[in-house]
Amino acid sequence: MTMKSKCLRLGRELIILIALSTLLISISTLIHLPIFSLPSEIMGMQYSDIVYGVFLDIFGPENIDRPVKLSMRWYNTTLFMLLATGEVKYCPLPYIDYFLEYPPVVALIMFFSSCSAFTLVLPQKYNYLIYSRLIIDIAQYHLILNALVIFVFTLLMVIYMLKLIRLLNLRNALSRVFIMLFLPSFIVYSVYNWDIIASSLFIISLYYLCKRKYVISSLIMGLSILTKLLPLTFVVIFSLSCIFRNNFIIKSSKELFKYVLPMTLLILLTVLPIQLVSPEVLADFLFYHGKWYCENCLYQVFIRDLESPLHRLLALLSMLLVIIISSSRIKVSTRVDILKLALIAVIASTTLNYIFTPQMILLIAPLALLLLNKYEVIMYVIADVANTLMMILFFMDEELRKLINTYLYLNLDVVFNPWSIDSPIQWFAMIRNSLLLILLVKLILGMSTIKSKTTLISNIQIN
């Protein structure tokens, strides 16, 4: 095959992937629009953090009658009252006017999308009744604007996945990109939260790291961390592997410094001004996430009390164990090893976390589809399907319990409690968690020197 024909083929494949991305992001946007009618049995599919978990929680008109909730969400409660009653048409600032539980890149997107939506929908003069009537329209514009941002980052992710395939000469990997786009979790969760933005930035950063462009890689990794904190796990493992002299990609402390410093400065230069302007933000952010319950986490198999601090302790100890083993026992000697180490980091930071919300799987998908073998991909796809069913069936928990009691003769409590371990929703979560945990162990053993030493001892004993 000539170079010209290869370029034409790659061009055609890219056009097909862009077209598919456009179609599937459009479908994801449509099913999450509040005005789009879905059967009541699967209303869980329509829920999105972008609209219901964040926007309406902050700007919902009912907050006027809930002073306790209003004071917990808003730093400037007076401003919300003025906005909702039409006395002041103003674009509130995250971290300053109201609390936002997401990092700064999401806050920036949130500000522009909400401000644009308010400007487009609200008339120049309005009152509380008009605000209440228009809030769903405002939320829809907010969702569409976020979907456009997510669409751009999805295209970037696909493009850089293709670049990685070419750079590392990964066999049969192109078909895996197509598979990723058709995964049910991609369709349901891409326009649901902002995880796909962090995932895209993570992939782009890894591409430049593979090319030894440390400063560019570092800055983009910093943006990924400022979107979602989980990629920080990779940075820690990768940096420690250099200190333990197991990293043959970064060959000197000077190169490590060149990789770590730019992202550190970017994060500090972003976070410190926010902290200076609004001193309570960082403490509120840490307190919010530090006090969260065990959400779909592994540890509820052993500890049924979802509010128990033991979940957070077990998550911390599990993560420390993975970080120590991965950085001290895994040798990073090729560019493919970088991606495998990154896959270990994202699976560990989600599966071993005390919070594993369904959309977080989007951080795993690109690397999993590029690197796993055929049988492992089948395991991953099953985990992905289970992950999707968690949200689709979420609001059917009580009905599912009735059906299971009727046909399987179990004695489940017939209540709506999709968070407890006896819920069918959590059974799907445990299927997902178990399969991802198996993949994590296989990846660590496959790369670790522990395995090679064990094999050597076995060979000596046989001889």
Side-chain angles (χ1 to χ4, degrees), residues 20-33 36 38 45 181-182 186-188 190-191:
L20 280 174
S21 300
T22 306
L23 173 64
L24 296 169
I25 292 293
S26 300
I27 292 170
S28 187
T29 305
L30 187 63
I31 63 176
H32 292 301
L33 281 174
F36 184 66
L38 286 172
M45 187 183 286
L181 293 174
F182 282 101
F186 181 87
I187 297 169
V188 172
S190 55
V191 185

Side-chain angles (χ1 to χ4, degrees), residues 333-395:
S333 53
T334 68
R335 292 181 294 192
V336 173
D337 289 342
I338 295 175
L339 300 190
K340 287 183 177 179
L341 195 68
L343 181 55
I344 287 170
V346 290
I347 294 178
S349 61
T350 51
T351 309
L352 301 179
N353 208 322
Y354 63 95
I355 304 170
F356 190 177
T357 49
Q359 77 276 4
M360 286 162 65
I361 205 169
L362 295 177
L363 287 161
I364 302 172
L367 290 171
L369 270 295
L370 288 181
L371 298 171
L372 297 179
N373 64 40
K374 182 171 67 175
Y375 300 106
E376 291 167 344
V377 166
I378 292 170
M379 287 175 63
Y380 181 80
V381 170
I382 294 169
D384 188 274
V385 171
N387 184 70
T388 308
L389 290 172
M390 287 168 59
M391 200 65 232
I392 292 176
L393 302 176
F394 187 86
F395 294 105

Side-chain angles (χ1 to χ4, degrees), residues 36-47 391-392 395:
F36 184 66
S37 295
L38 286 172
S40 58
E41 293 82 6
I42 55 169
M43 282 302 293
M45 187 183 286
Q46 191 165 49
Y47 173 88
M391 200 65 232
I392 292 176
F395 294 105

Side-chain angles (χ1 to χ4, degrees), residues 27 35 90 109 116 127 146 178 227 279 406 420 426 436 449-450:
I27 292 170
I35 58 165
Y90 173 77
I109 296 167
S116 301
N127 55 33
N146 275 273
F178 285 94
T227 308
T406 302
S420 66
Q426 290 307 311
L436 290 175
T449 54
I450 295 171

Side-chain angles (χ1 to χ4, degrees), residues 90-145:
Y90 173 77
C91 291
L93 294 165
Y95 302 145
I96 296 170
D97 295 320
Y98 60 86
F99 170 70
L100 185 68
E101 61 269 38
Y102 290 90
V105 169
V106 174
L108 186 66
I109 296 167
M110 179 74 186
F111 170 72
F112 282 109
S113 61
S114 61
C115 184
S116 301
F118 280 125
T119 304
L120 287 167
V121 178
L122 284 176
Q124 198 60 39
K125 292 185 178 180
Y126 63 94
N127 55 33
Y128 177 71
L129 291 175
I130 293 171
Y131 180 87
S132 301
R133 183 164 48 83
L134 293 177
I135 193 65
I136 292 299
D137 293 333
I138 297 167
Q140 288 184 149
Y141 273 95
H142 165 71
L143 179 73
I144 290 166
L145 292 168

